[in-house]
Amino acid sequence: MGRLGGLAFELTPQAFAVITFTAGVVVLASAATPAFSHRLVLLDRLLHPVLIDLSHFAASVAGFLLLLLSAGLWRRRRGAYWAALIVLIVGALLSLLKGLDWEEAMELAAVAALLAPCRAAFDRRSRLSEPLRPTWLLLVGAVVAAVLWLGFFAYRDVAYRDELWWTFLTDRQASGFLRAAAVLALLTLVAAGRSLVSAPGARNHRPAGPEQVAQVLDLLKTADRAAPEAWLAALGDKALMFSPSGRSVLAYRVRGRRWIAMGEPAGLASERRELLWAFAQAADGYGAAPVFYSVGEGLLADLATLGLAVRKVGETAVIDTAAFSLEGKARQNLRTAVNRAEREGAVFDILPPGAASAVVTELKAVSDAWLAHHKGTEKAFSLGRFHPAWLDLTPVAVVRVEGRIVAFANLMPGARPQDGLAVDLMRHAPDAPPGVMDYLFVRAIQWARDQGWGALDLGLAPLSGLDDRRLSPVFARVGALVFDEGGAVYGFSGLRAYKAKFGPDWRPRFIAAPPSTPLALALLDVALLTSGGWRGMLGRG
């Protein structure tokens, strides 16, 4: 019985949200239809027509507020609880003043009486002018549209005249409906506009400051579970959520109505699931949707526990360093590239962490030339960017020709040798020897093997490996089509083909979000965050 009571207590906010929403519908429908004539005649003897008309107008606004407040009740907001109580009581009074509608007044008073003792169920801090979720926004819009149709149907025999807008007579109720209809339509547009362009929590969850970045760097030194991508948390372009112990972290950005986590939690394996729950609950507390991008197969069970929908977004090319070899016909092109680069005088070297700053001028010259040649801009979120402090954090593979650096790539290490390393920035000068990046990657793989690293991740091939089958999800089928035909915008298939010549193990990467969240839009948000907006994504930065 105790557990049943606890479950009923948990469902109380949702039950009152439905009841309050229904009460709002009743109030709006009542305000949109003519009052009983005999009651209105009696009321006209007691009150001035202007007061009756104002009560009718205020009742319409109260009904609309109940629709909005029901969303806050659903989210267990304390402020919505108190506001709903006040609006219900005021609405009951207005029901009497606008047409002696005592049945409606009793219903509203009864809802207020039932809601009053349930304050403990609404335990979440209030957020002023919280935007509506799309589903709730559609419900509100549908109700307002239905009420407006009902009103125009009820007064269909009243001929329109300009005087209706300012007439305050009890025998001309169409005037009151017309004014209320205009305000309801305006309020709906305002609520919809604000909800659609809002970013819940963006102001309070800004990119991390220097102290938090320093905490992440300390955390990565002692982490027992951290993918190489965890280093992206130290870029300073994402907000960070730490576990209560401070030994685990999740990096994310707020964009629109979605909180998008980059990769998997880093830190202690024992804290991973709780940190995932904390992130999802924090996003939900702001009325936003939690999204997890670029997660591996090892996290799918935890994401399923959170009730999230999962879709594949591509494959990452992971080289088994112990098994990698230049022998055989399949590696002929790589052998040719390596031999040619060395004939051109190419020399491979690894700069240890902290050494990049000593040659930052050379590295920047390569980076600037590469960006100019590709008409590109610096990326963010899911990729690193050129910055001396960023390059100083991890090893940097460089290729020199006659002592001058002509190519480089920084390597992000995982927490354990079996986690391997991942390539982040990959840049070369336009005048570098042909095949210089092939040479750099081959030597980087061999260096990683010699240092005891089990794998080298060459990075994600977006939309790779999606199946275009009749029973495949629409997301996968559209993604497969874009992968095959989207070369004009982004060389998806060419990127995969380039990495395939190193003989990688293609490991899937996924995006996860609540079932109500359009995953295509979430993936678009990731692309915009990575590219710095529409101009960057379209190659016009």
Side-chain angles (χ1 to χ4, degrees), residues 32-69:
T33 53
F36 293 109
S37 58
H38 65 282
R39 296 184 184 181
L40 202 55
V41 170
L42 177 60
L43 189 63
D44 191 34
R45 296 173 183 173
L46 303 174
L47 301 176
H48 193 281
V50 173
L51 179 59
I52 298 174
D53 195 83
L54 290 177
S55 299
H56 181 277
F57 178 82
S60 300
V61 176
F64 184 80
L65 290 177
L66 289 177
L67 300 184
L68 300 185
L69 290 171

Short mmCIF file of all heavy atoms in Angstrom, two decimals, residues 32-69:
data_model
loop_
_atom_site.label_atom_id
_atom_site.label_comp_id
_atom_site.label_asym_id
_atom_site.label_seq_id
_atom_site.Cartn_x
_atom_site.Cartn_y
_atom_site.Cartn_z
N ALA A 32 -17.04 31.82 -24.91
CA ALA A 32 -17.23 31.97 -26.35
C ALA A 32 -18.68 31.78 -26.77
O ALA A 32 -19.01 32.00 -27.94
CB ALA A 32 -16.35 30.97 -27.10
N THR A 33 -19.56 31.38 -25.86
CA THR A 33 -20.96 31.13 -26.19
C THR A 33 -21.86 32.05 -25.38
O THR A 33 -21.48 32.51 -24.29
CB THR A 33 -21.32 29.66 -25.91
OG1 THR A 33 -20.95 29.34 -24.55
CG2 THR A 33 -20.59 28.73 -26.85
N PRO A 34 -23.05 32.34 -25.89
CA PRO A 34 -23.95 33.26 -25.18
C PRO A 34 -24.37 32.71 -23.81
O PRO A 34 -24.56 31.50 -23.64
CB PRO A 34 -25.16 33.36 -26.12
CG PRO A 34 -24.66 32.93 -27.45
CD PRO A 34 -23.60 31.91 -27.19
N ALA A 35 -24.52 33.62 -22.84
CA ALA A 35 -25.00 33.24 -21.51
C ALA A 35 -26.51 33.05 -21.56
O ALA A 35 -27.19 33.45 -22.51
CB ALA A 35 -24.62 34.31 -20.50
N PHE A 36 -27.05 32.40 -20.50
CA PHE A 36 -28.50 32.25 -20.40
C PHE A 36 -29.13 33.63 -20.28
O PHE A 36 -28.75 34.44 -19.43
CB PHE A 36 -28.86 31.39 -19.20
CG PHE A 36 -28.43 29.96 -19.34
CD1 PHE A 36 -27.40 29.44 -18.58
CD2 PHE A 36 -29.07 29.12 -20.26
CE1 PHE A 36 -27.01 28.12 -18.70
CE2 PHE A 36 -28.68 27.80 -20.39
CZ PHE A 36 -27.65 27.30 -19.62
N SER A 37 -30.11 33.91 -21.12
CA SER A 37 -30.68 35.26 -21.20
C SER A 37 -31.34 35.69 -19.90
O SER A 37 -31.19 36.85 -19.47
CB SER A 37 -31.69 35.33 -22.35
OG SER A 37 -32.72 34.36 -22.16
N HIS A 38 -32.06 34.78 -19.20
CA HIS A 38 -32.74 35.18 -17.98
C HIS A 38 -31.75 35.52 -16.87
O HIS A 38 -31.98 36.40 -16.05
CB HIS A 38 -33.72 34.09 -17.53
CG HIS A 38 -33.05 32.81 -17.14
ND1 HIS A 38 -32.60 31.89 -18.08
CD2 HIS A 38 -32.75 32.28 -15.91
CE1 HIS A 38 -32.07 30.85 -17.45
NE2 HIS A 38 -32.15 31.06 -16.15
N ARG A 39 -30.60 34.80 -16.86
CA ARG A 39 -29.58 35.13 -15.86
C ARG A 39 -28.93 36.47 -16.19
O ARG A 39 -28.60 37.25 -15.29
CB ARG A 39 -28.51 34.03 -15.81
CG ARG A 39 -29.01 32.67 -15.36
CD ARG A 39 -27.87 31.68 -15.25
NE ARG A 39 -28.32 30.34 -14.90
CZ ARG A 39 -27.53 29.29 -14.72
NH1 ARG A 39 -26.21 29.45 -14.89
NH2 ARG A 39 -28.02 28.12 -14.40
N LEU A 40 -28.72 36.72 -17.47
CA LEU A 40 -28.07 37.96 -17.88
C LEU A 40 -28.96 39.16 -17.57
O LEU A 40 -28.47 40.23 -17.18
CB LEU A 40 -27.74 37.90 -19.37
CG LEU A 40 -26.63 38.85 -19.86
CD1 LEU A 40 -25.36 38.64 -19.08
CD2 LEU A 40 -26.39 38.64 -21.34
N VAL A 41 -30.27 38.98 -17.72
CA VAL A 41 -31.20 40.07 -17.39
C VAL A 41 -31.14 40.38 -15.91
O VAL A 41 -31.12 41.55 -15.49
CB VAL A 41 -32.64 39.69 -17.82
CG1 VAL A 41 -33.65 40.71 -17.27
CG2 VAL A 41 -32.75 39.61 -19.33
N LEU A 42 -31.12 39.33 -15.09
CA LEU A 42 -31.02 39.53 -13.64
C LEU A 42 -29.70 40.19 -13.27
O LEU A 42 -29.67 41.10 -12.42
CB LEU A 42 -31.15 38.18 -12.93
CG LEU A 42 -30.99 38.19 -11.39
CD1 LEU A 42 -32.05 39.09 -10.75
CD2 LEU A 42 -31.07 36.77 -10.84
N LEU A 43 -28.60 39.74 -13.91
CA LEU A 43 -27.29 40.31 -13.60
C LEU A 43 -27.22 41.77 -14.03
O LEU A 43 -26.57 42.60 -13.37
CB LEU A 43 -26.20 39.49 -14.30
CG LEU A 43 -24.75 39.81 -13.93
CD1 LEU A 43 -24.49 39.50 -12.46
CD2 LEU A 43 -23.79 39.00 -14.80
N ASP A 44 -27.91 42.10 -15.11
CA ASP A 44 -27.89 43.47 -15.61
C ASP A 44 -28.54 44.44 -14.63
O ASP A 44 -28.22 45.63 -14.62
CB ASP A 44 -28.61 43.52 -16.97
CG ASP A 44 -28.40 44.86 -17.66
OD1 ASP A 44 -27.31 45.44 -17.51
OD2 ASP A 44 -29.32 45.31 -18.36
N ARG A 45 -29.44 43.93 -13.79
CA ARG A 45 -30.08 44.78 -12.78
C ARG A 45 -29.14 45.06 -11.61
O ARG A 45 -29.33 46.04 -10.88
CB ARG A 45 -31.34 44.10 -12.26
CG ARG A 45 -32.42 43.90 -13.31
CD ARG A 45 -33.56 43.08 -12.74
NE ARG A 45 -34.58 42.81 -13.77
CZ ARG A 45 -35.62 42.00 -13.57
NH1 ARG A 45 -35.76 41.37 -12.39
NH2 ARG A 45 -36.49 41.80 -14.55
N LEU A 46 -28.13 44.20 -11.42
CA LEU A 46 -27.24 44.32 -10.27
C LEU A 46 -25.92 45.00 -10.60
O LEU A 46 -25.34 45.69 -9.75
CB LEU A 46 -26.95 42.92 -9.68
CG LEU A 46 -28.17 42.10 -9.25
CD1 LEU A 46 -27.74 40.70 -8.83
CD2 LEU A 46 -28.90 42.80 -8.11
N LEU A 47 -25.43 44.80 -11.82
CA LEU A 47 -24.09 45.29 -12.17
C LEU A 47 -24.16 46.16 -13.41
O LEU A 47 -25.06 46.03 -14.25
CB LEU A 47 -23.13 44.12 -12.43
CG LEU A 47 -22.92 43.14 -11.27
CD1 LEU A 47 -22.03 42.00 -11.73
CD2 LEU A 47 -22.32 43.82 -10.05
N HIS A 48 -23.16 47.02 -13.55
CA HIS A 48 -23.05 47.88 -14.73
C HIS A 48 -22.61 47.02 -15.92
O HIS A 48 -21.78 46.11 -15.77
CB HIS A 48 -22.03 48.99 -14.46
CG HIS A 48 -22.06 50.10 -15.48
ND1 HIS A 48 -21.47 49.99 -16.71
CD2 HIS A 48 -22.64 51.34 -15.44
CE1 HIS A 48 -21.65 51.09 -17.40
NE2 HIS A 48 -22.37 51.94 -16.63
N PRO A 49 -23.12 47.30 -17.11
CA PRO A 49 -22.73 46.50 -18.30
C PRO A 49 -21.23 46.46 -18.55
O PRO A 49 -20.70 45.45 -19.03
CB PRO A 49 -23.47 47.20 -19.43
CG PRO A 49 -24.64 47.83 -18.79
CD PRO A 49 -24.20 48.25 -17.42
N VAL A 50 -20.53 47.55 -18.24
CA VAL A 50 -19.09 47.56 -18.45
C VAL A 50 -18.41 46.53 -17.57
O VAL A 50 -17.49 45.80 -18.01
CB VAL A 50 -18.51 48.97 -18.19
CG1 VAL A 50 -16.98 48.94 -18.25
CG2 VAL A 50 -19.06 49.96 -19.19
N LEU A 51 -18.84 46.40 -16.30
CA LEU A 51 -18.26 45.41 -15.40
C LEU A 51 -18.55 43.99 -15.88
O LEU A 51 -17.69 43.11 -15.80
CB LEU A 51 -18.80 45.61 -13.98
CG LEU A 51 -18.29 44.63 -12.92
CD1 LEU A 51 -16.76 44.72 -12.82
CD2 LEU A 51 -18.93 44.92 -11.56
N ILE A 52 -19.75 43.78 -16.41
CA ILE A 52 -20.09 42.45 -16.93
C ILE A 52 -19.20 42.11 -18.13
O ILE A 52 -18.68 41.00 -18.24
CB ILE A 52 -21.58 42.41 -17.34
CG1 ILE A 52 -22.47 42.67 -16.11
CG2 ILE A 52 -21.92 41.07 -17.97
CD1 ILE A 52 -23.94 42.78 -16.46
N ASP A 53 -19.03 43.09 -19.01
CA ASP A 53 -18.21 42.85 -20.19
C ASP A 53 -16.74 42.61 -19.82
O ASP A 53 -16.08 41.74 -20.38
CB ASP A 53 -18.33 44.02 -21.14
CG ASP A 53 -17.79 43.69 -22.52
OD1 ASP A 53 -18.53 43.10 -23.32
OD2 ASP A 53 -16.61 43.99 -22.77
N LEU A 54 -16.25 43.40 -18.87
CA LEU A 54 -14.87 43.20 -18.43
C LEU A 54 -14.69 41.84 -17.77
O LEU A 54 -13.65 41.19 -17.92
CB LEU A 54 -14.46 44.32 -17.46
CG LEU A 54 -14.27 45.70 -18.10
CD1 LEU A 54 -13.94 46.73 -17.01
CD2 LEU A 54 -13.17 45.68 -19.14
N SER A 55 -15.70 41.39 -17.02
CA SER A 55 -15.63 40.06 -16.40
C SER A 55 -15.60 38.97 -17.47
O SER A 55 -14.88 37.98 -17.35
CB SER A 55 -16.82 39.86 -15.47
OG SER A 55 -16.83 40.82 -14.44
N HIS A 56 -16.39 39.17 -18.53
CA HIS A 56 -16.37 38.22 -19.64
C HIS A 56 -15.00 38.15 -20.29
O HIS A 56 -14.46 37.07 -20.57
CB HIS A 56 -17.43 38.66 -20.66
CG HIS A 56 -17.54 37.75 -21.85
ND1 HIS A 56 -16.70 37.85 -22.94
CD2 HIS A 56 -18.37 36.72 -22.13
CE1 HIS A 56 -17.00 36.94 -23.83
NE2 HIS A 56 -18.03 36.24 -23.36
N PHE A 57 -14.41 39.32 -20.51
CA PHE A 57 -13.07 39.39 -21.11
C PHE A 57 -12.02 38.74 -20.20
O PHE A 57 -11.20 37.94 -20.64
CB PHE A 57 -12.71 40.85 -21.37
CG PHE A 57 -11.34 41.06 -21.95
CD1 PHE A 57 -11.12 40.91 -23.30
CD2 PHE A 57 -10.27 41.37 -21.14
CE1 PHE A 57 -9.87 41.09 -23.84
CE2 PHE A 57 -9.00 41.55 -21.66
CZ PHE A 57 -8.80 41.41 -23.02
N ALA A 58 -12.08 39.07 -18.89
CA ALA A 58 -11.11 38.52 -17.94
C ALA A 58 -11.26 37.02 -17.79
O ALA A 58 -10.27 36.29 -17.61
CB ALA A 58 -11.27 39.20 -16.58
N ALA A 59 -12.49 36.52 -17.90
CA ALA A 59 -12.70 35.07 -17.81
C ALA A 59 -12.03 34.35 -18.98
O ALA A 59 -11.47 33.27 -18.82
CB ALA A 59 -14.20 34.77 -17.79
N SER A 60 -12.07 34.97 -20.17
CA SER A 60 -11.39 34.37 -21.32
C SER A 60 -9.89 34.28 -21.09
O SER A 60 -9.25 33.25 -21.38
CB SER A 60 -11.69 35.19 -22.58
OG SER A 60 -13.07 35.24 -22.84
N VAL A 61 -9.32 35.36 -20.54
CA VAL A 61 -7.88 35.35 -20.24
C VAL A 61 -7.57 34.32 -19.17
O VAL A 61 -6.55 33.61 -19.24
CB VAL A 61 -7.43 36.76 -19.81
CG1 VAL A 61 -5.96 36.73 -19.40
CG2 VAL A 61 -7.64 37.75 -20.94
N ALA A 62 -8.43 34.20 -18.15
CA ALA A 62 -8.21 33.21 -17.09
C ALA A 62 -8.22 31.80 -17.66
O ALA A 62 -7.41 30.94 -17.26
CB ALA A 62 -9.27 33.36 -16.01
N GLY A 63 -9.16 31.53 -18.58
CA GLY A 63 -9.18 30.20 -19.20
C GLY A 63 -7.90 29.91 -19.96
O GLY A 63 -7.36 28.79 -19.90
N PHE A 64 -7.39 30.91 -20.68
CA PHE A 64 -6.14 30.72 -21.42
C PHE A 64 -4.97 30.49 -20.46
O PHE A 64 -4.11 29.63 -20.70
CB PHE A 64 -5.88 31.95 -22.29
CG PHE A 64 -4.67 31.82 -23.16
CD1 PHE A 64 -4.71 31.11 -24.34
CD2 PHE A 64 -3.46 32.41 -22.80
CE1 PHE A 64 -3.59 30.98 -25.15
CE2 PHE A 64 -2.33 32.29 -23.60
CZ PHE A 64 -2.40 31.58 -24.77
N LEU A 65 -4.95 31.22 -19.35
CA LEU A 65 -3.88 31.03 -18.36
C LEU A 65 -3.92 29.63 -17.77
O LEU A 65 -2.86 29.03 -17.49
CB LEU A 65 -4.00 32.07 -17.25
CG LEU A 65 -3.67 33.51 -17.64
CD1 LEU A 65 -3.90 34.44 -16.46
CD2 LEU A 65 -2.22 33.61 -18.11
N LEU A 66 -5.11 29.08 -17.57
CA LEU A 66 -5.21 27.71 -17.04
C LEU A 66 -4.59 26.71 -18.02
O LEU A 66 -3.97 25.73 -17.59
CB LEU A 66 -6.67 27.35 -16.76
CG LEU A 66 -7.31 28.06 -15.57
CD1 LEU A 66 -8.78 27.68 -15.45
CD2 LEU A 66 -6.57 27.72 -14.27
N LEU A 67 -4.76 26.95 -19.32
CA LEU A 67 -4.12 26.08 -20.30
C LEU A 67 -2.60 26.12 -20.17
O LEU A 67 -1.92 25.08 -20.22
CB LEU A 67 -4.52 26.49 -21.72
CG LEU A 67 -6.00 26.45 -22.09
CD1 LEU A 67 -6.17 26.80 -23.57
CD2 LEU A 67 -6.61 25.09 -21.81
N LEU A 68 -2.06 27.32 -19.99
CA LEU A 68 -0.61 27.46 -19.86
C LEU A 68 -0.11 26.89 -18.54
O LEU A 68 0.92 26.20 -18.49
CB LEU A 68 -0.21 28.93 -19.97
CG LEU A 68 -0.56 29.66 -21.27
CD1 LEU A 68 0.01 31.07 -21.24
CD2 LEU A 68 -0.04 28.91 -22.48
N LEU A 69 -0.83 27.16 -17.46
CA LEU A 69 -0.39 26.71 -16.13
C LEU A 69 -0.45 25.19 -16.00
O LEU A 69 0.30 24.62 -15.21
CB LEU A 69 -1.25 27.36 -15.05
CG LEU A 69 -1.04 28.86 -14.87
CD1 LEU A 69 -2.10 29.43 -13.93
CD2 LEU A 69 0.35 29.14 -14.32
#
